[in-house]
Amino acid sequence: MSWLEGSIMARRGVAKGEERSVHSITEATQGKYHYVYGPYVSPVLTVKPGAVISVETHDAFEGKITSESDKPSEILNFPYLNPQNGPIFVEGAEKGDVIAIRIKEIRPRGPQPAGTTCLIPEFGGLVGTGDTAMLNPPLPERVKKVEVDPVKGVKWSDKITIPYEPFIGTLGVSPEIEAITSLQPDYYGGNMDLPDVAPDSVVYFPVNTKGGYVYLGDCHAAQGDGELCGVAIEHPTVTTVHLDLIKGWSFKWPRLENERFIMTIGSGRPLEDAARIAYRELTRWMAADYGFDELDAYMLLTQAGRARLGNMVDPKYTIGASILKTYLTA
């Protein structure tokens, strides 16, 4: 029996976690990619709970960086980065519900070298930025193109190969009334850059507007904790997701489960505020759904909780707080 058969999605979803229809969003059917999360554009696709959707995503630069001789500052048009597929309208989704997104598969597409990483002026974790303004001159621009193979891995150099560990960097639902850049993470998801948002996981988002309006893009072939220089191994993909709807389950921040653990995801600045949000939400989840006294959950997380650093470079930073499922069934 797969763990998915006992997942929250399968137990509480309208479609009971079943795959009931198949759809696709190609570059042609997507048409215009979006750089904002919000409810003010028409859905590119309308589905019922249980839908499986294959999506042709762009890399974070919409394929504009093609050579190691390119200069990002001359090619990229900030803030038009992180192109998003969608929005996808989920029938029956209303405020107070939750959309469950199971990530089935992520595979690279397009010619090699398919992966791109780079240094962008005044962007990254160890440099001065517009928000942390310094007199120091920016680091020199640098582009690295790499081959990405799901079996062989990411060829960094002749001596170093990084495992192919893909995940969706930017995933979420629409805010209720705001229109927010796809470069920023928040309560609706967005640019969390959290490596656990990967195949064989289910991510749960609170619905803020009718239909939910699911957006996704910015898939990474590999990334270390923090996305230190601000750019992971960005690559275009065919990403397949499975959507379900959970009625009447209300919380504020995204949640995730996989076979091993449950996780809550917080985003904010400074970084400790993101960690506080994530751990507070996990404490309350354990109390609400797993029978823990809230203070006992707080103390247990002090001993057994784990924190995953998504990004430390975006307008807000992201932390995932988790606990192993074995502690929840003891």
Side-chain angles (χ1 to χ4, degrees):
M1 172 180 172
S2 165
W3 77 270
L4 288 163
E5 295 178 46
S7 68
I8 299 167
M9 178 178 178
R11 290 186 284 110
R12 301 183 62 174
V14 170
K16 302 300 181 186
E18 297 173 1
E19 299 182 6
R20 295 186 174 178
S21 61
V22 177
H23 310 264
S24 67
I25 301 175
T26 64
E27 285 193 41
T29 57
Q30 176 64 44
K32 180 181 178 182
Y33 285 71
H34 299 290
Y35 297 91
V36 167
Y37 273 47
Y40 303 113
V41 295
S42 298
V44 70
L45 181 67
T46 296
V47 300
K48 297 180 184 296
V52 175
I53 310 161
S54 67
V55 182
E56 291 186 351
T57 71
H58 274 305
D59 70 13
F61 312 118
E62 205 163 340
K64 293 177 181 177
I65 296 179
T66 60
S67 165
E68 292 189 344
S69 63
D70 288 342
K71 283 193 173 183
S73 65
E74 297 176 357
I75 293 173
L76 304 180
N77 182 19
F78 181 86
Y80 294 96
L81 301 172
N82 258 21
Q84 297 293 292
N85 291 87
I88 301 166
F89 187 101
V90 180
E91 291 186 10
E94 301 173 311
K95 190 171 182 179
D97 298 336
V98 163
I99 289 177
I101 304 177
R102 172 191 165 206
I103 303 165
K104 289 195 63 177
E105 183 184 44
I106 301 172
R107 54 185 176 86
R109 69 183 181 96
Q112 296 289 359
T116 304
T117 190
C118 59
L119 299 181
I120 297 175
E122 294 196 326
F123 183 58
L126 298 181
V127 299
T129 70
D131 293 322
T132 55
M134 303 289 181
L135 285 174
N136 311 63
L139 293 177
E141 296 182 69
R142 179 176 295 181
V143 171
K144 190 175 184 70
K145 300 288 291 186
V146 294
E147 294 182 5
V148 176
D149 186 282
V151 176
K152 296 178 181 178
V154 177
K155 186 178 180 182
W156 184 259
S157 68
D158 290 340
K159 296 181 178 179
I160 298 174
T161 299
I162 304 169
Y164 182 63
E165 297 176 337
F167 68 95
I168 304 176
T170 308
L171 175 69
V173 296
S174 174
E176 185 171 6
I177 64 171
E178 303 100 318
I180 303 177
T181 172
S182 59
L183 294 170
Q184 176 165 301
D186 214 306
Y187 63 91
Y188 51 84
N191 193 26
M192 301 177 291
D193 290 322
L194 189 68
D196 297 296
V197 183
D200 206 33
S201 67
V202 183
V203 195
Y204 301 96
F205 294 99
V207 174
N208 303 299
T209 191
K210 185 177 180 180
Y213 276 53
V214 174
Y215 293 86
L216 72 153
D218 178 37
C219 292
H220 298 175
Q223 180 200 294
D225 286 4
E227 196 182 22
L228 187 59
C229 81
V231 184
I233 304 296
E234 315 287 341
H235 72 320
T237 73
V238 177
T239 292
T240 304
V241 295
H242 174 205
L243 306 186
D244 207 341
L245 175 66
I246 300 175
K247 302 293 292 183
W249 190 27
S250 181
F251 50 82
K252 185 174 180 181
W253 291 85
R255 296 179 175 182
L256 179 150
E257 73 167 324
N258 60 27
E259 185 173 11
R260 298 179 57 246
F261 56 75
I262 64 170
M263 172 182 282
T264 46
I265 304 167
S267 297
R269 265 198 188 197
L271 190 59
E272 56 263 34
D273 280 355
R276 290 185 180 110
I277 291 167
Y279 267 125
R280 183 186 68 176
E281 293 301 302
L282 185 54
T283 300
R284 291 179 173 173
W285 189 8
M286 291 168 64
D289 290 358
Y290 294 96
F292 283 84
D293 170 82
E294 189 171 281
L295 295 183
D296 189 55
Y298 177 37
M299 291 191 293
L300 177 59
L301 285 172
T302 304
Q303 322 312 324
R306 296 291 181 266
R308 185 74 184 266
L309 176 57
N311 84 79
M312 52 177 281
V313 293
D314 292 334
K316 292 186 177 181
Y317 304 150
T318 297
I319 290 281
S322 67
I323 187 168
L324 293 173
K325 287 182 172 178
T326 51
Y327 291 110
L328 306 177
T329 57

